Amino acid sequence: MVDGVRIQSKVAQQAQEQVLTEDALQFLAALHRTFESTRQSLLVAREDAQRRWDSGAPFDFPPETAHIRAEPSWHCAPPAPGLEDRRVEITGPTDRKMVINALNSGAKTFMADFEDSSAPTFANMVNGQVNLRDAIRRQIDFESGGKSYKLTDKPAVLIVRPRGWHLDEPRVTVDNAPVSGSLFDFAIYFYHNAKELVKRGFGPYFYLPKMEHHLEARLWNDVFNFSQSYVGIPHGTIRATVLIETLPAVFHMEEILFELRTHSSGLNCGRWDYIFSFIKKRRADRVAILPDRKDVTMTVPFMDAYVRLLIQTCHRRKVAAMGGMAAQIPIKDDPKANEAVMEKVRQDKLREVTAGHDGTWIAHPLINKIAMEVFNKHMLGPNQYHVRREDVKVAAADLLNPKVPGKITEEGVRSNVSCALAYTASWIGGNGCIPLNYLMEDAATAEITRVQLWQWVKYACRLDTGELITADYVDKRIDEIAPGIKKIAPGVKDDNLKITVEYLKSQIRKEWPSEFLTSDLMPYLAIADGAEPKWQKSAL
């Protein structure tokens, strides 16, 4: 075993033996020892920034980097092989069947997700690494239930999303400290597959989540340069698309691209996490109260401004401006309802392509046909970098505009409670992506529901009926809805539902909402996997 490195879990032993090899762990340890102190300082900087915003400091474009935004001559790297045309990207977790189905879906790329659509049990993380390694080498075919699963001749191009900078990987320690979840996911995938991907005509491609500042992008760029030198491939081989899914990051888009310019493949509108962040980061601002989740659409002022600025920014720097997720899934037993839902998908994708996006996200293979038809009709070339959107003028006030038509309703409260309970209990049980009401829900939508309930209680909001929303009022809704959760999320276990109920009731009573439910509840997964409790923080 590698000096100073300790694996604290014995689950998925066969997968561990295949991917947690001595040389891969040496690489991970080198990354940890080189970059962990920087990661920790950046996480402290997030807390410092939040305190300033809580005290009334404005969100704005950083004055110290105005020269980067003003300089028109710099551009990002040209598209890497396989990333020239990304008109439809499918996303999902890394279980074996999902990987095959997504790669065979007909979408241009597949974002294999170790983040919001995966519950980070150690088995999920290391088995996912095995599945991606096998897919790259075309050794992933298998049979289950009498059905054969095998890759097509031209599968989608693979992109991997590691966990965000804020998450630890508590089952792996280096020098008695847990490693970064980001670096664990990146290191194991990159070390085993970078050269193989290049040999096959592609490269190691990534989606980077949850960043809040351009210095966090600089850290990723430093990791990329270190890693390429370590394994002996040219700098600039890696490509990374950054999800703009936090409110602070929207004010750093140019700078994020600048920091990653030799490795950048664009930005993506991480729409659901962005709404979550809009509420969470403005937690001390009673003006920023939003109505029912269903009313916060892509056409409301702050979301529309964010989209337009992202497209303009990306095309100015000659990289992809990727659209957001269509979370809808087909309704098989009701053709009329299904067509209504599919029409929503068409209109959403039409809005994206006509705004200038270069591609879009889908969550289900059967949605690919609709999204592809819309983009094929309206985007005749491989991308729309030529759509510069020079008409766009977005100020900080536009990005912060809280005026959203809608109301807070009883149904909105109940919907939030139902989603929060069903998803969170499923996540504790190891499932990070579940269908609810014909939507494929991941951590982002559960986070919106959690912080909305907190916000409505914190600021003593009223329903459209005039009734006051208190912690006791939400408790009653939780107690009414919890017994029926297993009907909509059949895999949920009673113990996990009980933990979730207690967690949600505690969250709505806090002075400020927790940063991430995934951070709060990770101890349950880690201890179940065998990690030592001393590394865990209390979830409640």
Side-chain angles (χ1 to χ4, degrees), residues 82-83 85-92 98-111 152 154-159 202 322 359-373 376:
L83 298 181
D85 186 337
R86 302 167 62 183
R87 62 189 61 213
V88 180
E89 299 188 328
I90 190 169
T91 77
M98 177 67 201
V99 169
I100 293 173
N101 287 343
L103 288 171
N104 289 347
S105 66
K108 292 290 187 180
T109 77
F110 165 45
M111 187 201 77
T152 61
K154 290 187 177 180
V157 175
L158 184 60
I159 307 175
F202 300 100
M322 300 302 296
T360 190
W361 273 17
I362 60 171
H364 194 284
L366 293 179
I367 306 296
N368 178 66
K369 182 172 182 288
I370 294 171
M372 196 67 79
E373 284 175 353
N376 287 347

Side-chain angles (χ1 to χ4, degrees), residues 516-537:
F516 296 98
L517 69 81
T518 48
S519 298
D520 283 348
L521 300 172
M522 187 66 204
Y524 292 104
L525 275 58
I527 292 171
D529 284 334
E532 292 180 2
K534 68 178 182 177
W535 294 119
Q536 311 310 320
K537 299 173 184 177

Side-chain angles (χ1 to χ4, degrees), residues 59-62 69 247-253 255 395-396 399-400:
F59 290 87
D60 208 345
F61 301 96
R69 298 192 297 276
L247 182 60
V250 81
F251 296 99
H252 289 252
M253 288 196 290
E255 294 87 343
L399 296 164
L400 298 168

